[in-house]
Amino acid sequence: MGNHRAVRGEGQRTPATPSTAGKRRAVKQPSRSPLMKALPSTPILLGVTALAVSAGGAVSASGTDLDGYVAQHTTPSASGGMALGLTNATSALSRRDVVVSRDSRRDALADAADQELVEQTEAQAEQRNAVLEQLAQSAEKQAAKIKKNLWVLPLTSYRISATFGQSSSLWASVHTGLDMSAPTGSPIHSVANGVVTEVGYDGSYGNKTVVTLEDGTEIWYCHQTSFLVDVGDVVRGGEVIGTVGSTGNSTGPHLHIEVRPGGGDPVDPWTALVQHGLNP
């Protein structure tokens, strides 16, 4: 009665007897060395390397792929080679930046030189076009002036009866003009533009009209029957100024014409007419 066995109550569990049957032994995970503990994990290293590659530009210019480049410069070694690989990668990217920058400057300088050459060529072309334009305008003015002062033959129908420089008893000295025989009353035309500076009778020249051209050359028209202009009149080449006659020292109706540059000594009228595109 006095000795009672302890009764197991609910909630109290008898400790299990250790058994070796079916029991697994815990596997110890290898611990990281102090060097490996200090280094960041591989994903972080790859992320850092990717950022470096993005900042430095394309590194695979020689055909090396990105994975190979990262593996080459991030392989760990016993003496901390992984950190050294990252340093080498950064140095390589920096050198790449220097090369790219140098090439960019060279390209920029070449572009600037090309632009300057283009600008110089355009400026020279503009100057040349300006000179050509001035020459064209000058040529047009000269052509208009030549057309304006185009000489014409004084008679439409005639026969050369005496030339410049001939000697004869008919003249006190050599012949100073060109004689163009034509019927009395044939119209006489001014050979060029000018101003009438003399009209009247002049001894052996008979009735004479003098027209002074723009360059100062005087043209004498002698032996006329009649005058059709007065002193001060402005005449144009081809305009009728008088008629053929035989006044003064003359043996028959004809026009005696003289050409006197600057109002001085006479020159050969034939040569002067030829020089102005005429064929007497």
Side-chain angles (χ1 to χ4, degrees), residues 31-121:
S31 60
R32 299 175 66 185
S33 65
L35 174 62
M36 297 300 293
K37 290 180 179 181
L39 292 175
S41 63
T42 300
I44 294 177
L45 289 177
L46 291 178
V48 171
T49 305
L51 289 177
V53 171
S54 300
V59 189
S60 59
S62 61
T64 304
D65 62 319
L66 181 61
D67 293 337
Y69 186 90
V70 173
Q72 178 182 356
H73 293 282
T74 57
T75 302
S77 65
S79 60
M82 184 176 293
L84 180 60
L86 289 176
T87 302
N88 292 338
T90 304
S91 299
L93 292 175
S94 299
R95 289 194 298 272
R96 177 64 179 173
D97 289 341
V98 172
V99 174
V100 170
S101 299
R102 185 183 300 115
D103 291 342
S104 299
R105 287 196 298 271
R106 186 181 298 111
D107 293 341
L109 290 175
D111 292 342
D114 291 343
Q115 182 63 27
E116 183 178 359
L117 181 60
V118 169
E119 292 176 355
Q120 291 178 353
T121 303

Coordinates of all heavy atoms in Angstrom, one line a residue, residues 31-121:
S31 N 33.9 25.0 -44.6 CA 34.0 26.4 -44.3 C 34.8 27.2 -45.3 O 35.8 26.6 -45.8 CB 34.5 26.6 -42.8 OG 35.8 26.1 -42.8
R32 N 34.5 28.5 -45.5 CA 35.2 29.3 -46.5 C 36.5 29.8 -45.8 O 36.5 30.1 -44.6 CB 34.4 30.5 -46.9 CG 33.1 30.1 -47.7 CD 32.3 31.3 -48.0 NE 32.9 32.1 -48.9 CZ 32.5 33.3 -49.3 NH1 31.3 33.7 -48.8 NH2 33.1 34.0 -50.2
S33 N 37.6 29.8 -46.6 CA 38.8 30.3 -46.1 C 38.7 31.8 -45.8 O 37.8 32.5 -46.3 CB 39.9 30.1 -47.1 OG 39.7 30.9 -48.2
P34 N 39.6 32.4 -44.9 CA 39.5 33.8 -44.6 C 39.5 34.7 -45.9 O 38.9 35.7 -46.0 CB 40.7 34.0 -43.7 CG 40.9 32.7 -43.1 CD 40.6 31.7 -44.1
L35 N 40.3 34.2 -46.9 CA 40.5 35.0 -48.1 C 39.1 35.0 -48.9 O 38.7 36.1 -49.4 CB 41.6 34.5 -49.0 CG 41.7 35.1 -50.4 CD1 42.0 36.6 -50.2 CD2 42.8 34.4 -51.2
M36 N 38.5 33.9 -49.0 CA 37.3 33.8 -49.7 C 36.2 34.5 -49.0 O 35.2 35.0 -49.6 CB 36.9 32.3 -49.9 CG 37.9 31.5 -50.7 SD 38.1 32.2 -52.4 CE 36.5 31.8 -53.0
K37 N 36.2 34.5 -47.6 CA 35.2 35.2 -46.9 C 35.3 36.7 -47.1 O 34.3 37.4 -47.1 CB 35.4 35.0 -45.3 CG 35.0 33.6 -44.9 CD 35.2 33.4 -43.4 CE 34.8 32.0 -43.0 NZ 34.9 31.8 -41.5
A38 N 36.5 37.2 -47.4 CA 36.7 38.6 -47.6 C 36.2 39.1 -49.0 O 35.9 40.2 -49.2 CB 38.1 39.0 -47.4
L39 N 36.2 38.2 -50.0 CA 35.8 38.5 -51.3 C 34.3 38.5 -51.5 O 33.6 37.7 -50.9 CB 36.5 37.6 -52.3 CG 38.0 37.7 -52.5 CD1 38.5 36.6 -53.4 CD2 38.4 39.1 -53.0
P40 N 33.7 39.3 -52.3 CA 32.3 39.3 -52.6 C 32.0 38.0 -53.4 O 32.8 37.4 -54.0 CB 32.0 40.5 -53.4 CG 33.3 40.9 -54.0 CD 34.4 40.4 -53.1
S41 N 30.7 37.7 -53.5 CA 30.2 36.5 -54.2 C 30.4 36.7 -55.7 O 30.5 37.8 -56.2 CB 28.8 36.2 -53.8 OG 28.0 37.3 -54.3
T42 N 30.3 35.6 -56.4 CA 30.5 35.6 -57.8 C 29.5 36.4 -58.6 O 29.8 37.2 -59.5 CB 30.5 34.1 -58.4 OG1 31.5 33.4 -57.8 CG2 30.7 34.1 -59.9
P43 N 28.2 36.3 -58.2 CA 27.2 37.2 -58.9 C 27.6 38.7 -58.7 O 27.4 39.5 -59.6 CB 25.9 36.9 -58.2 CG 26.1 35.5 -57.7 CD 27.5 35.4 -57.3
I44 N 28.1 39.1 -57.6 CA 28.4 40.5 -57.4 C 29.6 40.9 -58.2 O 29.6 41.9 -58.9 CB 28.7 40.8 -55.9 CG1 27.5 40.6 -55.0 CG2 29.3 42.2 -55.7 CD1 27.7 40.7 -53.5
L45 N 30.6 40.0 -58.3 CA 31.8 40.2 -59.2 C 31.3 40.4 -60.6 O 31.8 41.3 -61.3 CB 32.8 39.1 -59.0 CG 33.5 39.0 -57.7 CD1 34.4 37.8 -57.7 CD2 34.3 40.3 -57.5
L46 N 30.5 39.5 -61.0 CA 30.0 39.6 -62.4 C 29.2 40.9 -62.7 O 29.4 41.5 -63.7 CB 29.1 38.4 -62.8 CG 29.8 37.1 -62.8 CD1 28.8 35.9 -63.1 CD2 30.9 37.1 -63.9
G47 N 28.5 41.3 -61.7 CA 27.8 42.6 -61.8 C 28.7 43.8 -61.9 O 28.6 44.7 -62.7
V48 N 29.8 43.8 -61.1 CA 30.8 44.8 -61.1 C 31.5 44.9 -62.5 O 31.7 45.9 -63.1 CB 31.8 44.7 -60.0 CG1 33.0 45.6 -60.2 CG2 31.1 44.9 -58.7
T49 N 31.8 43.7 -63.0 CA 32.5 43.6 -64.2 C 31.6 44.1 -65.4 O 32.1 44.8 -66.3 CB 32.9 42.2 -64.5 OG1 33.7 41.7 -63.5 CG2 33.7 42.1 -65.8
A50 N 30.3 43.8 -65.3 CA 29.4 44.2 -66.3 C 29.3 45.7 -66.3 O 29.3 46.4 -67.4 CB 28.0 43.6 -66.1
L51 N 29.3 46.3 -65.1 CA 29.2 47.8 -65.0 C 30.5 48.4 -65.6 O 30.5 49.4 -66.3 CB 29.1 48.2 -63.6 CG 27.7 48.0 -62.9 CD1 27.7 48.4 -61.5 CD2 26.6 48.7 -63.7
A52 N 31.7 47.8 -65.4 CA 32.9 48.3 -65.9 C 32.9 48.2 -67.4 O 33.4 49.1 -68.1 CB 34.1 47.5 -65.3
V53 N 32.4 47.1 -67.9 CA 32.3 47.0 -69.4 C 31.4 48.0 -70.0 O 31.7 48.6 -71.0 CB 31.9 45.6 -69.8 CG1 31.6 45.5 -71.3 CG2 33.0 44.6 -69.4
S54 N 30.3 48.3 -69.3 CA 29.3 49.3 -69.8 C 30.0 50.6 -69.8 O 29.8 51.4 -70.7 CB 28.1 49.3 -69.0 OG 27.4 48.0 -69.1
A55 N 30.7 51.0 -68.8 CA 31.4 52.3 -68.7 C 32.5 52.5 -69.7 O 32.7 53.6 -70.2 CB 31.9 52.5 -67.3
G56 N 33.2 51.5 -70.0 CA 34.4 51.6 -70.9 C 34.1 51.4 -72.3 O 35.0 51.6 -73.1
G57 N 32.9 50.9 -72.7 CA 32.7 50.7 -74.1 C 32.9 49.3 -74.5 O 33.2 48.4 -73.6
A58 N 32.7 48.9 -75.7 CA 32.8 47.5 -76.2 C 34.3 47.1 -76.0 O 35.2 47.7 -76.6 CB 32.4 47.4 -77.6
V59 N 34.5 46.0 -75.4 CA 35.9 45.5 -75.1 C 36.2 44.4 -76.1 O 37.4 44.0 -76.3 CB 36.0 45.0 -73.7 CG1 37.5 44.7 -73.4 CG2 35.5 46.0 -72.7
S60 N 35.2 43.9 -76.8 CA 35.5 42.8 -77.7 C 35.8 43.2 -79.1 O 35.3 42.6 -80.1 CB 34.2 41.9 -77.7 OG 33.1 42.6 -78.2
A61 N 36.7 44.2 -79.3 CA 37.0 44.7 -80.6 C 37.8 43.7 -81.4 O 37.8 43.7 -82.6 CB 37.8 46.1 -80.5
S62 N 38.6 42.9 -80.7 CA 39.5 41.9 -81.3 C 38.8 40.6 -81.5 O 39.5 39.6 -81.8 CB 40.8 41.8 -80.6 OG 40.5 41.3 -79.3
G63 N 37.5 40.5 -81.2 CA 36.8 39.2 -81.4 C 36.6 38.5 -80.1 O 36.0 37.4 -80.1
T64 N 37.2 38.9 -79.0 CA 37.1 38.1 -77.7 C 35.7 38.4 -77.1 O 35.3 39.6 -77.0 CB 38.1 38.6 -76.7 OG1 39.4 38.4 -77.3 CG2 38.0 37.8 -75.4
D65 N 34.9 37.4 -76.8 CA 33.6 37.6 -76.2 C 33.7 38.1 -74.8 O 34.7 37.9 -74.1 CB 32.8 36.3 -76.3 CG 33.4 35.2 -75.5 OD1 34.6 35.0 -75.6 OD2 32.6 34.4 -74.9
L66 N 32.5 38.6 -74.3 CA 32.5 39.2 -73.0 C 32.7 38.2 -71.9 O 33.4 38.4 -70.9 CB 31.1 39.9 -72.8 CG 30.9 40.6 -71.5 CD1 31.9 41.7 -71.3 CD2 29.5 41.2 -71.4
D67 N 32.1 37.0 -72.0 CA 32.2 35.9 -71.0 C 33.7 35.6 -70.8 O 34.2 35.4 -69.7 CB 31.4 34.7 -71.3 CG 29.9 35.0 -71.3 OD1 29.6 36.0 -70.6 OD2 29.1 34.3 -71.9
G68 N 34.4 35.4 -72.0 CA 35.8 35.0 -71.9 C 36.6 36.1 -71.2 O 37.6 35.9 -70.5
Y69 N 36.3 37.4 -71.6 CA 37.0 38.5 -71.0 C 36.9 38.5 -69.5 O 37.8 38.7 -68.7 CB 36.5 39.8 -71.6 CG 37.3 41.0 -71.2 CD1 38.4 41.4 -71.9 CD2 37.0 41.8 -70.1 CE1 39.2 42.5 -71.5 CE2 37.7 42.9 -69.7 CZ 38.8 43.2 -70.4 OH 39.5 44.3 -70.1
V70 N 35.6 38.3 -69.0 CA 35.3 38.3 -67.5 C 36.1 37.2 -66.9 O 36.7 37.3 -65.8 CB 33.8 38.3 -67.3 CG1 33.5 38.1 -65.8 CG2 33.2 39.6 -67.8
A71 N 36.0 36.0 -67.5 CA 36.6 34.8 -66.9 C 38.1 35.0 -66.8 O 38.8 34.6 -65.9 CB 36.3 33.6 -67.7
Q72 N 38.7 35.6 -67.9 CA 40.1 35.8 -67.9 C 40.6 36.7 -66.7 O 41.7 36.5 -66.2 CB 40.5 36.4 -69.2 CG 42.0 36.7 -69.3 CD 42.4 37.3 -70.7 OE1 41.5 37.5 -71.5 NE2 43.6 37.7 -70.8
H73 N 39.8 37.8 -66.5 CA 40.3 38.8 -65.5 C 39.7 38.6 -64.1 O 39.9 39.4 -63.2 CB 39.9 40.2 -66.0 CG 40.7 40.6 -67.2 ND1 42.0 41.0 -67.2 CD2 40.4 40.6 -68.5 CE1 42.5 41.2 -68.4 NE2 41.5 41.0 -69.2
T74 N 38.8 37.5 -63.9 CA 38.3 37.3 -62.6 C 38.6 35.9 -62.0 O 38.0 35.5 -61.0 CB 36.7 37.5 -62.6 OG1 36.2 36.5 -63.6 CG2 36.4 38.9 -63.0
T75 N 39.5 35.2 -62.6 CA 39.9 33.9 -62.1 C 40.7 34.0 -60.8 O 41.7 34.7 -60.7 CB 40.8 33.1 -63.1 OG1 40.0 33.0 -64.3 CG2 41.1 31.7 -62.6
P76 N 40.2 33.4 -59.7 CA 40.9 33.5 -58.4 C 42.2 32.8 -58.4 O 42.4 31.8 -59.1 CB 39.9 33.0 -57.4 CG 39.1 32.0 -58.2 CD 39.0 32.6 -59.6
S77 N 43.1 33.2 -57.6 CA 44.4 32.5 -57.4 C 44.8 32.5 -56.0 O 44.1 33.2 -55.1 CB 45.5 33.2 -58.2 OG 45.8 34.5 -57.7
A78 N 45.8 31.8 -55.6 CA 46.2 31.6 -54.2 C 46.6 32.9 -53.6 O 46.6 33.1 -52.4 CB 47.3 30.6 -54.1
S79 N 47.1 33.9 -54.4 CA 47.6 35.1 -53.9 C 46.7 36.3 -54.1 O 47.1 37.4 -54.3 CB 49.0 35.4 -54.5 OG 48.9 35.5 -55.9
G80 N 45.4 36.0 -54.2 CA 44.4 37.1 -54.4 C 44.4 37.5 -55.9 O 44.2 38.7 -56.2
G81 N 44.5 36.6 -56.8 CA 44.5 36.9 -58.3 C 43.2 37.4 -58.8 O 43.1 38.1 -59.8
M82 N 42.1 37.2 -58.0 CA 40.8 37.7 -58.5 C 40.8 39.2 -58.4 O 40.3 39.9 -59.4 CB 39.6 37.1 -57.6 CG 38.2 37.6 -58.1 SD 36.9 36.8 -57.2 CE 37.1 35.1 -57.7
A83 N 41.2 39.8 -57.3 CA 41.3 41.2 -57.2 C 42.2 41.8 -58.2 O 42.0 42.8 -58.8 CB 41.8 41.6 -55.8
L84 N 43.4 41.1 -58.5 CA 44.3 41.5 -59.5 C 43.7 41.5 -60.9 O 43.9 42.4 -61.7 CB 45.6 40.7 -59.5 CG 46.7 41.0 -60.5 CD1 47.1 42.5 -60.3 CD2 47.8 40.1 -60.4
G85 N 42.8 40.5 -61.2 CA 42.1 40.4 -62.4 C 41.2 41.6 -62.7 O 41.1 42.1 -63.7
L86 N 40.5 42.0 -61.6 CA 39.6 43.2 -61.7 C 40.4 44.4 -62.0 O 40.0 45.3 -62.8 CB 38.8 43.3 -60.4 CG 37.7 42.3 -60.2 CD1 37.1 42.5 -58.8 CD2 36.7 42.4 -61.3
T87 N 41.6 44.5 -61.3 CA 42.5 45.7 -61.6 C 42.9 45.7 -63.0 O 42.9 46.7 -63.7 CB 43.7 45.6 -60.7 OG1 43.2 45.6 -59.3 CG2 44.6 46.9 -60.9
N88 N 43.3 44.5 -63.6 CA 43.8 44.4 -64.9 C 42.6 44.8 -65.9 O 42.8 45.4 -66.9 CB 44.3 43.0 -65.3 CG 45.6 42.7 -64.5 OD1 46.3 43.6 -64.1 ND2 45.9 41.4 -64.3
A89 N 41.4 44.3 -65.6 CA 40.3 44.7 -66.4 C 40.0 46.1 -66.5 O 39.8 46.7 -67.5 CB 39.0 43.9 -65.9
T90 N 40.1 46.8 -65.3 CA 39.9 48.2 -65.2 C 41.0 49.0 -66.0 O 40.7 49.9 -66.7 CB 39.9 48.7 -63.8 OG1 38.9 48.0 -63.0 CG2 39.6 50.2 -63.7
S91 N 42.2 48.5 -65.9 CA 43.3 49.1 -66.7 C 43.1 49.0 -68.2 O 43.3 49.9 -68.9 CB 44.7 48.5 -66.3 OG 44.9 48.7 -64.9
A92 N 42.7 47.8 -68.6 CA 42.4 47.5 -70.0 C 41.3 48.4 -70.5 O 41.4 49.0 -71.6 CB 42.1 46.1 -70.2
L93 N 40.3 48.6 -69.7 CA 39.2 49.5 -70.1 C 39.7 50.9 -70.2 O 39.3 51.7 -71.1 CB 38.0 49.4 -69.2 CG 37.3 48.0 -69.2 CD1 36.2 48.0 -68.1 CD2 36.7 47.8 -70.6
S94 N 40.5 51.3 -69.3 CA 41.1 52.7 -69.3 C 41.9 52.9 -70.5 O 41.8 53.9 -71.2 CB 41.9 52.9 -68.0 OG 41.1 52.8 -66.9
R95 N 42.8 51.9 -70.9 CA 43.5 52.0 -72.1 C 42.6 52.1 -73.3 O 42.9 52.9 -74.3 CB 44.5 50.9 -72.2 CG 45.7 50.9 -71.2 CD 46.8 49.9 -71.6 NE 46.3 48.5 -71.6 CZ 46.3 47.7 -70.6 NH1 46.7 48.2 -69.4 NH2 45.8 46.5 -70.7
R96 N 41.6 51.3 -73.3 CA 40.6 51.4 -74.4 C 40.0 52.8 -74.5 O 39.8 53.3 -75.6 CB 39.5 50.3 -74.2 CG 38.4 50.3 -75.2 CD 39.0 50.0 -76.6 NE 37.9 50.0 -77.6 CZ 38.1 49.8 -78.9 NH1 39.3 49.6 -79.3 NH2 37.1 49.8 -79.7
D97 N 39.7 53.4 -73.4 CA 39.1 54.7 -73.4 C 40.1 55.7 -74.0 O 39.7 56.6 -74.8 CB 38.8 55.2 -71.9 CG 37.6 54.4 -71.4 OD1 36.8 53.9 -72.3 OD2 37.4 54.4 -70.2
V98 N 41.4 55.6 -73.6 CA 42.4 56.4 -74.2 C 42.5 56.3 -75.7 O 42.6 57.3 -76.4 CB 43.8 56.2 -73.6 CG1 44.9 56.9 -74.3 CG2 43.8 56.5 -72.1
V99 N 42.5 55.1 -76.2 CA 42.5 54.8 -77.7 C 41.3 55.4 -78.3 O 41.4 56.1 -79.4 CB 42.7 53.3 -77.9 CG1 42.6 53.1 -79.4 CG2 44.0 52.8 -77.4
V100 N 40.1 55.2 -77.8 CA 38.9 55.7 -78.4 C 38.9 57.2 -78.4 O 38.6 57.8 -79.3 CB 37.7 55.2 -77.6 CG1 36.4 55.9 -78.1 CG2 37.5 53.7 -77.8
S101 N 39.4 57.8 -77.3 CA 39.4 59.3 -77.2 C 40.4 59.8 -78.2 O 40.2 60.8 -78.9 CB 39.9 59.7 -75.8 OG 38.9 59.3 -74.8
R102 N 41.6 59.2 -78.4 CA 42.6 59.6 -79.3 C 42.0 59.5 -80.8 O 42.2 60.4 -81.6 CB 43.9 58.8 -79.2 CG 45.0 59.3 -80.1 CD 46.2 58.4 -80.0 NE 46.7 58.4 -78.6 CZ 46.8 57.3 -77.9 NH1 46.3 56.2 -78.4 NH2 47.2 57.4 -76.7
D103 N 41.3 58.4 -81.1 CA 40.7 58.2 -82.4 C 39.6 59.3 -82.6 O 39.5 59.8 -83.7 CB 40.2 56.8 -82.5 CG 41.2 55.8 -82.6 OD1 42.4 56.1 -82.9 OD2 40.9 54.6 -82.4
S104 N 38.9 59.5 -81.6 CA 37.8 60.5 -81.7 C 38.4 61.9 -82.0 O 37.9 62.6 -82.8 CB 37.0 60.6 -80.4 OG 36.4 59.3 -80.2
R105 N 39.5 62.3 -81.3 CA 40.1 63.6 -81.6 C 40.7 63.6 -83.0 O 40.6 64.6 -83.6 CB 41.2 63.8 -80.5 CG 40.7 64.2 -79.1 CD 41.8 64.8 -78.3 NE 42.9 63.8 -78.1 CZ 43.0 63.0 -77.1 NH1 42.0 62.9 -76.2 NH2 44.0 62.2 -77.0
R106 N 41.3 62.5 -83.4 CA 41.8 62.5 -84.7 C 40.7 62.6 -85.8 O 40.9 63.4 -86.8 CB 42.6 61.2 -85.0 CG 43.3 61.1 -86.3 CD 44.0 59.8 -86.5 NE 45.0 59.6 -85.5 CZ 45.0 58.6 -84.6 NH1 43.9 57.9 -84.5 NH2 45.9 58.5 -83.7
D107 N 39.6 61.9 -85.6 CA 38.5 62.1 -86.5 C 37.9 63.5 -86.5 O 37.5 64.0 -87.5 CB 37.4 61.1 -86.1 CG 37.8 59.6 -86.3 OD1 38.8 59.4 -87.1 OD2 37.2 58.7 -85.8
A108 N 37.8 64.1 -85.3 CA 37.3 65.5 -85.2 C 38.2 66.4 -85.9 O 37.8 67.3 -86.6 CB 37.2 65.9 -83.7
L109 N 39.5 66.2 -85.8 CA 40.5 67.1 -86.5 C 40.4 67.0 -88.0 O 40.4 67.9 -88.7 CB 41.9 66.8 -86.0 CG 42.2 67.3 -84.6 CD1 43.7 66.8 -84.2 CD2 42.1 68.8 -84.4
A110 N 40.2 65.7 -88.4 CA 40.1 65.4 -89.8 C 38.8 66.1 -90.4 O 38.8 66.7 -91.5 CB 40.1 63.9 -90.1
D111 N 37.7 65.9 -89.6 CA 36.4 66.6 -90.1 C 36.6 68.1 -90.1 O 36.1 68.7 -91.1 CB 35.3 66.2 -89.1 CG 35.0 64.7 -89.2 OD1 35.4 64.1 -90.2 OD2 34.4 64.2 -88.2
A112 N 37.3 68.7 -89.1 CA 37.4 70.1 -89.1 C 38.3 70.6 -90.3 O 38.0 71.6 -91.0 CB 38.1 70.6 -87.8
A113 N 39.3 69.8 -90.6 CA 40.2 70.1 -91.8 C 39.4 70.0 -93.1 O 39.5 70.9 -94.0 CB 41.4 69.2 -91.8
D114 N 38.6 69.0 -93.2 CA 37.7 68.8 -94.4 C 36.7 70.0 -94.5 O 36.5 70.5 -95.6 CB 37.0 67.5 -94.3 CG 37.9 66.3 -94.5 OD1 39.1 66.5 -95.0 OD2 37.5 65.2 -94.1
Q115 N 36.1 70.4 -93.4 CA 35.2 71.5 -93.5 C 35.8 72.8 -93.9 O 35.3 73.6 -94.7 CB 34.5 71.6 -92.1 CG 33.5 72.7 -92.0 CD 32.3 72.5 -92.9 OE1 32.0 71.3 -93.2 NE2 31.6 73.5 -93.4
E116 N 37.1 73.0 -93.3 CA 37.8 74.2 -93.7 C 38.1 74.2 -95.2 O 38.0 75.3 -95.9 CB 39.1 74.3 -92.9 CG 39.9 75.6 -93.1 CD 41.1 75.7 -92.2 OE1 41.3 74.8 -91.4 OE2 41.9 76.7 -92.4
L117 N 38.5 73.1 -95.7 CA 38.9 73.0 -97.1 C 37.6 73.2 -98.0 O 37.7 73.9 -99.0 CB 39.4 71.6 -97.4 CG 39.8 71.3 -98.9 CD1 40.9 72.3 -99.3 CD2 40.3 69.9 -99.1
V118 N 36.5 72.7 -97.6 CA 35.3 72.9 -98.3 C 34.9 74.4 -98.3 O 34.5 75.0 -99.3 CB 34.1 72.1 -97.7 CG1 32.8 72.5 -98.3 CG2 34.3 70.6 -97.9
E119 N 35.1 75.1 -97.1 CA 34.7 76.5 -97.1 C 35.7 77.3 -97.9 O 35.3 78.3 -98.6 CB 34.8 76.9 -95.6 CG 33.7 76.3 -94.7 CD 33.9 76.8 -93.3 OE1 34.9 77.4 -93.0 OE2 33.0 76.4 -92.4
Q120 N 37.0 77.0 -97.9 CA 37.9 77.7 -98.8 C 37.6 77.5 -100.3 O 37.6 78.4 -101.1 CB 39.4 77.2 -98.5 CG 39.9 77.6 -97.2 CD 41.3 77.0 -96.9 OE1 41.8 76.2 -97.7 NE2 41.9 77.4 -95.8
T121 N 37.2 76.3 -100.7 CA 36.9 76.0 -102.0 C 35.6 76.8 -102.5 O 35.6 77.4 -103.5 CB 36.6 74.5 -102.3 OG1 37.8 73.8 -101.9 CG2 36.3 74.2 -103.7

